[in-house]
């Protein structure tokens, strides 16, 4: 009898515990405190036009109840997206626990004003917390609506540029511009603000690549922080120019002399001499020109050069800029290349002077160009000195016009002792002869820079 009473007591207690456990689980479940997870992309700093957003929300416990996306600007609140989710099944087991969508914000359709816009996302679940309203997840993102492109206009008027030559344009941008310059077809030349002239005044050196083309699309371009872009035309006439042609006969004797210098590049290559030469003259040449092009980012925004540029003393021209070279081997044409500098020859191991004031941004071997020094003259202008037998300067060194940077030699793909001199505008090789001409500098550069002086 006593055992029956004890058994009944234990069953009663067990039942009470079970009921309390189920009740506790139920209360914990319906009053759970875990907030929904919400993700929104992208999160742009600026809104410059119609923008699509991707929204993801999830709540793996009680499930999603509602999502609301709104825009606030001043006292206005605009609903951009809103959705209610139905409650399905026991404890919403069959309800929505994950949701993904995309929506678009069109500032013009919503009549948003220029300036700050607050993007707000509110996601609730089916928890009974907070008076039955559920757990709330908030995502707030501040943006600036800017759909107005910057302004840009040319100040200098007439621009005559030779194929292979350099040009300079002086222009004005609005204060919201953060990047500007000149496009010559698809090639961009950045402009640089002039420190001593009114705000927004810039200078931009640009070049016309060789060989020439039938048509050119040359225009000013500017971009603001929001990414709005604008362009403006300016008068620029490209003058055709003829360049010399030259036939170069490649002999095995010459190749036997140069191959040891390029042993590092030809290592492991088992091929005929002409195949090795073409690997150097084509593949390595392209890599070397890319090396020069990459130096454009090391320029200073301030002009460093002054006056006419110096030419190697007592030197005879051996090859000109833009020269079209045809290479022959065993009487057959094997390659064609364009010479992107001026070859000057004087006495062997002649001193090489800096063409103008600048800063050394590169020293060392550059494949077919051999031992090379590159000087930055500011605002995208640079000069190169190649085939040197010795280098007298170090990277980072400040150079004054006339300082000796090295001595001539025959390193690289050189048949004899000479200097290969080049001028670059934002990584594009241009004709150095123009920069040796005081009249050309006066007509095409100095007079335009004087416009900035007059504006002070």
């Amino acid at each position: 009898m006593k055992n029956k009473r004890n058994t009944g007591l234990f069953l009663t207690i067990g039942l009470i515990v079970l009921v309390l456990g189920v009740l506790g689980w139920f209360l914990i479940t319906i009053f759970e405190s875990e907030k929904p997870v919400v993700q929104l992309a992208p999160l742009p700093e600026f809104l410059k036009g119609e923008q699509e957003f991707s929204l993801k929300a999830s709540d793996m416990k009680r499930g999603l109840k509602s999502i609301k996306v709104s825009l606030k600007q001043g006292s206005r609140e605009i609903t951009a997206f809103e959705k209610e989710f139905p409650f399905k099944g026991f404890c919403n087991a069959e309800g929505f626990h994950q949701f993904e969508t995309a929506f678009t914000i069109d500032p013009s359709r919503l009549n948003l004003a220029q300036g700050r816009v607050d993007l707000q996302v509110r996601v609730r679940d089916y928890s009974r917390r907070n008076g039955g309203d559920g757990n709330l997840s908030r995502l707030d993102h501040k943006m600036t609506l800017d759909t107005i492109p910057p302004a840009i206009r040319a100040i200098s008027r007439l621009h005559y540029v030779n194929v292979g030559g350099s040009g300079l344009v002086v222009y004005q941008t609005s204060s919201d511009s953060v990047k500007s310059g000149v496009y010559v077809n698809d090639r961009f030349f950045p402009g640089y603000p002039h420190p001593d002239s009114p705000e927004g005044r810039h200078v931009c050196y640009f070049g016309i690549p060789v060989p020439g083309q039938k048509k050119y699309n040359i225009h000013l371009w500017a971009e603001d922080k929001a990414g709005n872009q604008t362009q403006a035309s300016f008068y620029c006439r490209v003058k055709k120019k003829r360049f010399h042609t030259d036939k170069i006969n490649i002999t095995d004797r010459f190749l036997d002399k140069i191959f040891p210098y390029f042993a590092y590049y030809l290592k492991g290559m088992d091929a005929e001499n002409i195949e090795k030469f073409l690997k150097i003259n084509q593949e390595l040449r392209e890599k070397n020109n890319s090396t020069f092009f990459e130096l454009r980012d090391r320029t200073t925004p301030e002009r460093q050069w002054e006056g006419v540029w110096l030419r190697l003393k007592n030197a005879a021209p051996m090859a000109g800029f833009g020269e079209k070279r045809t290479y022959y081997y065993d009487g057959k044409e094997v390659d064609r290349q364009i010479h992107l500098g001026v070859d000057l020859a004087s006495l062997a191991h002649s001193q090489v002077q800096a063409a103008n004031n600048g800063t050394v941004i590169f020293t060392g071997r550059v494949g077919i160009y051999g031992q090379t020094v590159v000087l930055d003259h500011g605002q995208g202008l640079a000069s190169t000195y190649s085939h040197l037998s010795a280098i007298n300067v170090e990277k980072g060194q400040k150079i004054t016009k006339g300082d000796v940077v090295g001595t001539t030699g025959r390193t690289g793909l050189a048949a004899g002792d000479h200097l290969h001199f080049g001028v670059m505008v934002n990584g594009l090789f241009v004709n150095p002869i123009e920069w040796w001409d005081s009249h050309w500098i006066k007509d095409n550069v100095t007079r335009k820079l004087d416009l900035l002086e007059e504006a002070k």
Side-chain angles (χ1 to χ4, degrees):
M1 198 69 175
K2 184 177 180 181
N3 289 336
K4 288 183 178 180
R5 286 199 205 97
N6 290 338
T7 300
L9 180 61
F10 287 137
L11 289 174
T12 302
I13 293 173
L15 182 59
I16 293 172
V17 170
L18 178 61
V19 171
L20 291 175
V22 171
L23 181 60
W25 169 83
F26 180 73
L27 293 175
I28 291 173
T29 300
I30 66 172
F31 286 94
E32 56 90 9
S33 60
E34 187 174 308
K35 294 181 179 181
V37 176
V38 58
Q39 295 175 306
L40 182 69
L43 296 174
E45 181 182 358
F46 292 92
L47 193 62
K48 61 176 184 177
E50 186 174 322
Q51 175 70 58
E52 183 178 85
F53 293 86
S54 174
L55 176 65
K56 295 180 181 180
S58 63
D59 189 281
M60 305 312 295
K61 292 190 174 180
R62 292 288 288 157
L64 298 170
K65 183 179 182 180
S66 64
I67 295 177
K68 183 177 181 180
V69 180
S70 59
L71 299 169
K72 291 195 69 176
Q73 191 173 55
S75 59
R76 292 181 66 202
E77 181 172 348
I78 305 167
T79 299
F81 175 81
E82 190 170 19
K83 186 173 181 62
E84 299 284 340
F85 299 93
F87 191 94
K88 292 183 179 181
F90 179 71
C91 289
N92 197 34
E94 299 175 17
F96 286 83
H97 294 271
Q98 293 182 340
F99 180 75
E100 183 175 345
T101 190
F103 62 92
T104 300
I105 294 177
D106 185 348
S108 60
R109 185 176 63 82
L110 299 176
N111 293 320
L112 296 176
Q114 302 290 306
R116 176 172 163 176
V117 178
D118 293 334
L119 177 60
Q120 300 178 339
V121 181
R122 302 291 183 262
V123 181
R124 292 185 180 274
D125 64 11
Y126 270 108
S127 171
R128 299 303 298 172
R129 279 182 171 266
N130 302 311
D133 290 335
N135 297 304
L136 172 65
S137 287
R138 305 165 58 103
L139 190 155
D140 295 306
H141 177 64
K142 298 176 182 178
M143 303 179 294
T144 300
L145 176 60
D146 183 356
T147 61
I148 302 175
I152 187 170
R153 66 178 181 88
I155 297 175
S156 52
R157 292 174 178 261
L158 303 177
H159 308 83
Y160 299 94
V161 189
N162 295 310
V163 170
S166 307
L168 170 66
V169 59
V170 178
Y171 63 91
Q172 175 89 41
T173 65
S174 52
S175 60
D176 55 338
S177 172
V178 295
K179 185 179 180 182
S180 62
V182 170
Y183 268 101
V184 177
N185 294 336
D186 294 329
R187 185 184 288 267
F188 178 66
F189 297 86
Y192 297 88
H194 195 276
D196 298 325
S197 63
E199 183 180 1
R201 299 237 167 169
H202 293 70
V203 297
C204 180
Y205 295 92
F206 61 96
I208 306 298
V210 288
Q213 299 183 6
K214 291 183 178 180
K215 293 182 179 181
Y216 292 93
N217 179 10
I218 303 175
H219 59 267
L220 293 167
W221 173 91
E223 184 178 65
D224 62 17
K225 287 183 179 180
N228 297 303
Q229 300 178 2
T230 190
Q231 65 182 53
S233 61
F234 65 100
Y235 183 87
C236 183
R237 180 182 176 187
V238 178
K239 296 185 288 184
K240 296 181 180 180
K241 188 173 179 64
R242 289 187 176 183
F243 297 97
H244 293 294
T245 59
D246 190 20
K247 296 181 179 180
I248 300 178
N249 291 310
I250 304 299
T251 64
D252 287 317
R253 183 179 178 183
F254 168 70
L255 296 179
D256 289 339
K257 286 183 179 180
I258 66 166
F259 281 162
Y261 186 84
F262 296 99
Y264 72 98
Y265 194 71
L266 300 174
K267 188 176 181 179
M269 184 178 180
D270 184 17
E272 298 293 329
N273 277 357
I274 189 59
E275 292 179 30
K276 293 180 180 179
F277 170 74
L278 293 177
K279 182 178 176 66
I280 293 169
N281 206 44
Q282 296 175 351
E283 182 181 284
L284 184 57
R285 180 186 296 271
E286 185 175 349
K287 291 181 179 180
N288 298 156
N289 290 337
S290 294
T291 297
F292 286 123
F293 181 72
E294 290 168 1
L295 294 174
R296 72 195 186 284
D297 294 330
R298 301 187 189 179
T299 192
T300 59
E302 298 82 21
R303 172 185 172 185
Q304 299 186 53
W305 67 277
E306 289 291 339
V308 66
W309 294 36
L310 298 183
R311 182 181 183 277
L312 182 67
K313 291 182 177 180
N314 304 315
M318 305 300 293
F321 177 84
E323 186 177 87
K324 300 175 182 178
R325 292 178 167 179
T326 305
Y327 297 83
Y328 291 85
Y329 181 75
D330 284 344
K332 297 180 180 179
E333 180 182 326
V334 294
D335 198 13
R336 292 187 180 188
Q337 298 292 339
I338 294 178
H339 191 238
L340 297 178
V342 175
D343 288 348
L344 301 168
S346 183
L347 298 175
H349 302 302
S350 295
Q351 291 187 335
V352 177
Q353 295 178 308
N356 221 307
N357 308 330
T359 304
V360 180
I361 57 173
F362 179 89
T363 63
R365 182 164 68 176
V366 186
I368 67 170
Y369 296 92
Q371 294 295 318
T372 297
V373 171
V374 181
L375 301 184
D376 168 47
H377 303 288
Q379 298 178 336
L381 290 177
S383 58
T384 66
Y385 311 79
S386 298
H387 300 316
L388 303 177
S389 59
I391 293 175
N392 294 22
V393 294
E394 298 178 350
K395 185 178 175 181
Q397 183 177 339
K398 293 291 184 181
I399 300 297
T400 301
K401 183 195 299 187
D403 286 350
V404 176
V405 299
T407 54
T408 62
R410 53 183 304 170
T411 56
L413 197 60
D417 186 295
H418 71 278
L419 169 69
H420 175 93
F421 177 71
V423 174
M424 293 189 294
V425 177
N426 196 50
L428 173 72
F429 280 105
V430 293
N431 198 339
I433 292 178
E434 294 178 339
W435 296 92
W436 291 333
D437 186 344
S438 60
H439 294 290
W440 180 89
I441 290 178
K442 180 179 179 181
D443 293 340
N444 295 277
V445 180
T446 308
R447 285 181 177 174
K448 294 174 182 176
L449 295 178
D450 287 344
L451 297 173
L452 296 171
E453 299 297 322
E454 295 171 1
K456 288 182 180 179

